[in-house]
Amino acid sequence: DSGVTQTPKHLITATGQRVTLRCSPRSGDLSVYWYQQSLDQGLQFLIQYYNGEERAKGNILERFSAQQFPDLHSELNLSSLELGDSALYFCASAPGTATTNEKLFFGSGTQLSVL
Amino acid sequence: GNSVTQMEGPVTLSEEAFLTINCTYTATGYPSLFWYVQYPGEGLQLLLKATKADDKGSNKGFEATYRKETTSFHLEKGSVQVSDSAVYFCALSDEVSDSWGKLQFGAGTQVVVTP
């Protein structure tokens, strides 16, 4: 158990809908990362938050947004969903800042299926 | 841009066989290199890492050496067990990136070890 909790584990929805994925990092970790794992794109970095602020952005679509709350949990919001958004979404956490080379602790993911 | 290329799977081995998974990379500067492992139904776990040329990362019998001259970070294990069956990901973190946790992953290699 990595200590990172993601909910829900599975999500089935329809095209055009909006969903929210939730992530609780390990106790004490300030950084939260979101990754998308899909069959065609593989594992891709989406976005990072550190202590409530956006720190780095990757290949995140404009229809997607994220935030990190004062209690350090994070939410990834996906809107106007398309079939191609079907993927496994991972959250990972780490203790430190972007300048600290530490390992990431991954949650077990949320499997999103858009029908 | 950065990229990681690893050998395609699945790789099927008998227990106690020798495992090698090839990984090569393209990056600006001097990236840090990682191997992550994903067991069925779980998130990724850091297996080992190397942060500079000629460093050898090792863990649980697995080893990989950072070879700058060949831009490679091949994973090896001398005697695999059934419990090593998983998907293995090679990844890099670019030193010039805005976030070390912004990892570039390879496509993953599935390893199946049979008794």
Side-chain angles (χ1 to χ4, degrees):
Chain A
D1 183 6
S2 68
V4 178
T5 303
Q6 289 188 248
T7 57
K9 290 194 183 303
H10 303 277
L11 200 48
I12 302 174
T13 188
T15 55
Q17 295 299 304
R18 173 190 169 92
V19 297
T20 298
L21 281 52
R22 182 188 170 101
C23 169
S24 294
R26 291 188 327 149
S27 176
D29 283 358
L30 299 177
S31 277
V32 169
Y33 300 79
W34 287 97
Y35 279 84
Q36 178 195 60
Q37 185 179 32
S38 63
L39 286 176
D40 54 344
Q41 300 286 338
L43 258 169
Q44 288 200 94
F45 169 78
L46 295 178
I47 197 164
Q48 179 207 355
Y49 277 81
Y50 173 72
N51 203 21
E53 294 188 2
E54 183 184 302
R55 180 59 65 97
K57 249 182 173 177
N59 299 322
I60 187 165
L61 300 172
E62 283 191 14
R63 300 183 286 108
F64 296 1
S65 65
Q67 55 184 330
Q68 186 179 27
F69 295 87
D71 66 353
L72 301 176
H73 90 271
S74 178
E75 293 180 355
L76 179 66
N77 300 295
L78 314 177
S79 62
S80 303
L81 284 168
E82 302 175 0
L83 295 177
D85 297 328
S86 296
L88 187 53
Y89 291 84
F90 285 111
C91 168
S93 74
T97 69
T99 58
T100 306
N101 194 351
E102 299 157 327
K103 73 178 188 181
L104 297 181
F105 292 86
F106 281 80
S108 55
T110 293
Q111 179 67 58
L112 174 65
S113 299
V114 182
L115 306 178
Chain B
N2 297 337
S3 68
V4 176
T5 303
Q6 57 182 110
M7 58 190 288
E8 287 188 23
V11 174
T12 303
L13 304 163
S14 297
E15 208 165 20
E16 298 183 4
F18 184 86
L19 170 68
T20 298
I21 304 176
N22 290 338
C23 171
T24 57
Y25 68 90
T26 303
T28 54
Y30 301 91
S32 293
L33 301 174
F34 306 84
W35 277 100
Y36 275 82
V37 59
Q38 184 179 26
Y39 298 102
E42 298 183 14
L44 282 74
Q45 301 174 28
L46 179 66
L47 184 58
L48 52 85
K49 70 176 184 181
T51 57
K52 60 183 188 295
D54 299 324
D55 267 2
K56 177 186 281 188
S58 61
N59 185 26
K60 298 181 182 179
F62 290 90
E63 291 183 343
T65 301
Y66 188 149
R67 301 287 188 201
K68 186 160 175 61
E69 63 276 14
T70 54
T71 62
S72 65
F73 192 55
H74 305 322
L75 182 68
E76 297 181 336
K77 185 175 185 182
S79 177
V80 293
Q81 305 300 312
V82 172
S83 57
D84 293 324
S85 298
V87 181
Y88 292 81
F89 292 90
C90 185
L92 72 80
S93 174
D94 195 331
E95 62 165 2
V96 300
S97 168
D98 50 353
S99 172
W100 70 265
K102 188 175 175 178
L103 300 176
Q104 181 77 42
F105 282 94
T109 301
Q110 183 178 12
V111 172
V112 178
V113 181
T114 57

